[in-house]
């Protein structure tokens, strides 16, 4: 098994999620946190849950591709005449 590289997000998405974490903690725990604390929470979630979400996406993609390959095989097959 290859070593995995850490899950990284584009800068704008990361910033938007930081804001969402801050708002979540404020709303649900009445806890106002800065970017550093919100970033630590976000990094923890990405590290712990990110691989599971990634693997779910991979499995969904594999299933979709398998379905499309089956459709393609069916489209390519032509009925053969009965030569009896």
């Amino acid at each position: 098994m290859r070593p995995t590289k850490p899950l990284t997000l584009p800068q704008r998405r990361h910033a938007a999620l930081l804001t969402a974490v801050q708002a979540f903690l404020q709303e649900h725990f009445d806890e106002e946190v800065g970017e550093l604390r919100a970033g630590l929470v976000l990094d923890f979630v990405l590290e712990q849950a990110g691989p599971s979400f990634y693997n779910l996406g991979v499995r969904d993609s594999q299933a979709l591709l398998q379905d499309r390959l089956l459709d393609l095989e069916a489209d390519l097959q032509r009925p053969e005449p009965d030569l009896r």
Side-chain angles (χ1 to χ4, degrees):
M1 178 183 226
R2 286 189 318 197
T4 59
K5 68 180 196 174
L7 186 63
T8 57
L9 299 171
Q11 175 87 22
R12 291 179 70 178
R13 185 66 182 144
H14 192 272
L17 285 172
L18 275 180
T19 301
V21 168
Q22 288 173 306
F24 177 85
L25 293 172
Q26 177 66 43
E27 180 181 337
H28 294 283
F29 299 102
D30 199 27
E31 183 78 27
E32 190 171 325
V33 298
E35 283 188 22
L36 178 61
R37 282 187 174 180
L40 290 171
V41 170
L42 179 56
D43 290 345
F44 173 79
V45 171
L46 288 174
E47 181 182 306
Q48 296 299 311
S52 295
F53 295 138
Y54 177 85
N55 289 338
L56 285 172
V58 168
R59 282 194 290 276
D60 287 347
S61 297
Q62 287 172 328
L64 177 69
L65 288 173
Q66 286 174 345
D67 287 346
R68 290 204 175 163
L69 282 174
L70 288 174
D71 290 343
L72 180 61
E73 286 178 17
D75 289 344
L76 293 176
Q77 299 259 342
R78 297 287 182 246
E80 296 180 27
D82 187 9
L83 299 176
R84 288 190 239 174

